[in-house]
Amino acid sequence: MQKIAVIFPGQGSHFVGMYKNLYDNYDIVRQTIQEAEQVSRINLTELCFKGPLPVLSRAENAHLAILSFGVAAFRVFVSETGIVPDFCAGHSLGEYAALVCAGVLSFSDALKLVRIRTDISRKVQKSVEGGMTIIDGIASPVVEEVCKKQQSSGKKVYLSCYNSETQTAISGTAKDLEETENLIRRENGTITPLFNSAPFHCPLMEAGSEALKEAISEIQFYEPRYPVLSNYTGIPYSGTHTNVRNLVSHLTNTVKWNHIMNYLEDKQVDIIVDLSARNIFDNILQDRKGFTATCFGIKGERDHLFEILEKDFGKEKTDFVTKSILAAVSTPNQNSEVNLAVYEKLVGENYETLFSIKRGLAQGRLKDTKELKTTVFHALKKILEYKVVDETELLWWMSKIADETATTYENLF
């Protein structure tokens, strides 16, 4: 059986027209962006499809757009294929999308955290006049050595991302960054400054750590549905107790993306689903011969991926009602005071509701509507409540089912 990892893009991956094809063709994309607009009060649809680019490129707009469309693309992927990933990872900012899609935090909470992170980064950027630059065509140890030499002479410039063997990023103050870029050009490296970027993933961001930690500490976290790889450690999150540490450290420490790719290779992942709008990971993945990488945001590549997955995984697809039945059946009964008569009436009737709806859909007597899904969720909720499932686990199950079936979110719970 092939293993699949989904990866989410980070800052700098936006452009006017991003994900337009997905937006036009899938209700769940439009619903996800509408949800983001309600939380953020930013007209992402207008900005992403009409621009202008300088306005879209402002961090407070671009970062929310990248997060929102990453989540939307994932919802299309799992609902259209019926497949859930073996691993999730997001590059830099993309880690927030990975955590949302793995059920670790809610979409609305991620939007709020990213907005706070953006505010923090803007203040740091202004105070230190810092920035960030992508370096291509030079081995990472060479860039690392240049940065160390600069630091030894008092310069504030740091290697902030290990993207691949020949692509890195550096962050620092504007003056020191420019000087270091000139040194790297002498080594025949290609320089791509990130427009309007804060000096992420380096010690200059320490000034914002406490504010971010405070904001993250107030967020409700859940156990991941699928393993999420951390930019800070290069390995999966190991439980909710690591969430605050990983996300705060993510702000000030080097992104270990190359470590993440090595981890996926070690775990024998076959297919990488790039959830960016246009092959943002091509340069990073080009030397990784063990992966089949597909950009989900490009229609031709997406259609080809669907064909591959239909062939290999098609028989394993499960729909909304089936997933609800599986959740009801597989959840252990923790009710120590079982009354058989009550159990048969309450739980039995709700099981019958679920199976009756499944039969009706299969026979064409029922239509898959929002009202029907609300009925399914109500029946599932009654079953799980009788089994004494706590509210956190209940929400975990319902969010998982909704996310994996591109279900309309409003008024279902």
Side-chain angles (χ1 to χ4, degrees):
M1 179 65 71
Q2 295 191 88
K3 290 184 179 180
I4 296 176
V6 295
I7 58 176
F8 297 84
Q11 65 170 328
S13 61
H14 63 282
F15 58 92
V16 176
M18 57 192 284
Y19 298 98
K20 185 66 163 61
N21 181 268
L22 276 177
Y23 185 90
D24 288 343
N25 285 281
Y26 294 98
D27 286 341
I28 191 59
V29 177
R30 295 188 289 275
Q31 292 158 7
T32 301
I33 301 308
Q34 182 180 39
E35 184 181 352
E37 290 175 336
Q38 289 171 347
V39 174
S40 67
R41 300 183 182 276
I42 295 173
N43 191 335
L44 295 175
T45 306
E46 181 81 13
L47 282 174
C48 291
F49 302 148
K50 296 183 180 179
L53 181 59
V55 179
L56 173 59
S57 295
R58 293 172 186 164
E60 63 269 24
N61 297 327
H63 290 196
L64 291 178
I66 292 164
L67 166 65
S68 301
F69 274 104
V71 171
F74 176 83
R75 289 173 173 175
V76 174
F77 169 72
V78 291
S79 62
E80 288 295 304
T81 64
I83 297 166
V84 297
D86 295 284
F87 300 97
C88 297
H91 187 275
S92 186
L93 168 70
E95 187 162 310
Y96 285 84
L99 290 168
V100 171
C101 295
V104 175
L105 74 163
S106 71
F107 183 35
S108 61
D109 281 342
L111 289 165
K112 293 170 186 174
L113 280 181
V114 167
R115 168 62 67 83
I116 292 169
R117 182 178 181 267
T118 301
D119 291 342
I120 290 168
S121 67
R122 188 190 303 113
K123 291 175 183 176
V124 172
Q125 183 182 13
K126 186 177 180 180
S127 66
V128 303
E129 295 185 14
M132 197 170 183
T133 295
I134 303 295
I135 311 295
D136 281 296
I138 299 184
S140 57
V142 175
V143 179
E144 187 176 336
E145 186 60 29
V146 170
C147 289
K148 286 181 178 179
K149 286 183 179 179
Q150 288 289 81
Q151 290 164 24
S152 68
S153 62
K155 308 297 183 182
K156 294 182 178 180
V157 63
Y158 309 89
L159 200 158
S160 51
C161 293
Y162 289 98
N163 290 338
S164 72
E165 296 299 327
T166 57
Q167 186 187 89
T168 53
I170 58 175
S171 298
T173 61
K175 181 181 178 181
D176 294 345
L177 201 58
E178 183 178 1
E179 183 178 307
T180 306
E181 289 169 358
N182 291 331
L183 292 174
I184 288 172
R185 284 192 183 94
R186 296 175 191 173
E187 302 286 343
N188 296 317
T190 301
I191 306 296
T192 309
L194 288 178
F195 176 69
N196 203 30
S197 173
F200 284 107
H201 313 303
C202 81
L204 292 177
M205 296 300 296
E206 284 286 355
S209 291
E210 199 56 40
L212 184 61
K213 183 177 181 180
E214 183 178 341
I216 293 172
S217 298
E218 296 176 357
I219 296 296
Q220 173 69 58
F221 289 102
Y222 305 92
E223 291 295 332
R225 302 167 194 155
Y226 339 107
V228 179
L229 296 167
S230 163
N231 282 263
Y232 171 56
T233 64
I235 60 176
Y237 277 68
S238 56
T240 55
H241 65 284
T242 65
N243 294 337
V244 175
R245 181 204 68 184
N246 284 357
L247 287 176
V248 174
S249 299
H250 175 275
L251 186 69
T252 58
N253 287 267
T254 306
V255 167
K256 297 178 180 176
W257 190 254
N258 205 33
H259 297 65
I260 288 174
M261 293 297 103
N262 289 339
Y263 182 92
L264 295 179
E265 282 191 336
D266 289 344
K267 294 299 181 182
Q268 300 181 316
V269 167
D270 305 284
I271 298 174
I272 296 283
V273 182
D274 165 9
L275 292 169
S276 71
R278 59 175 183 192
N279 299 107
I280 198 71
F281 291 105
D282 267 12
N283 286 342
I284 297 176
L285 293 172
Q286 62 183 350
D287 296 326
R288 300 277 181 175
K289 305 304 181 185
F291 297 141
T292 298
T294 303
C295 181
F296 199 72
I298 297 176
K299 187 178 185 305
E301 293 194 28
R302 183 168 66 249
D303 291 343
H304 182 59
L305 176 67
F306 286 159
E307 291 176 5
I308 293 173
L309 298 181
E310 177 69 28
K311 178 181 178 182
D312 293 342
F313 295 87
K315 294 180 180 180
E316 297 183 12
K317 292 182 182 179
T318 50
D319 59 21
F320 181 89
V321 182
T322 304
K323 285 181 181 289
S324 299
I325 292 171
L326 288 172
V329 172
S330 64
T331 302
N333 183 14
Q334 301 177 59
N335 192 335
S336 60
E337 300 179 0
V338 176
N339 181 308
L340 289 178
V342 174
Y343 184 90
E344 290 177 2
K345 178 174 177 55
L346 179 61
V347 177
E349 285 181 359
N350 283 292
Y351 269 126
E352 179 53 34
T353 296
L354 293 176
F355 283 104
S356 176
I357 289 173
K358 184 171 176 61
R359 288 193 297 269
L361 287 170
Q363 295 166 4
R365 293 184 289 103
L366 296 176
K367 292 185 177 180
D368 186 359
T369 64
K370 180 177 178 179
E371 290 72 25
L372 181 138
K373 286 176 177 174
T374 300
T375 301
V376 170
F377 260 179
H378 180 77
L380 173 60
K381 184 178 179 182
K382 289 294 184 183
I383 293 170
L384 296 185
E385 285 177 342
Y386 185 81
K387 290 186 173 184
V388 194
V389 170
D390 65 33
E391 187 175 343
T392 297
E393 185 177 352
L394 182 64
L395 182 61
W396 186 92
W397 272 115
M398 291 185 169
S399 297
K400 174 180 167 66
I401 294 165
D403 281 346
E404 293 178 359
T405 56
T407 299
T408 304
Y409 289 71
E410 275 185 68
N411 303 322
L412 269 183
F413 291 15

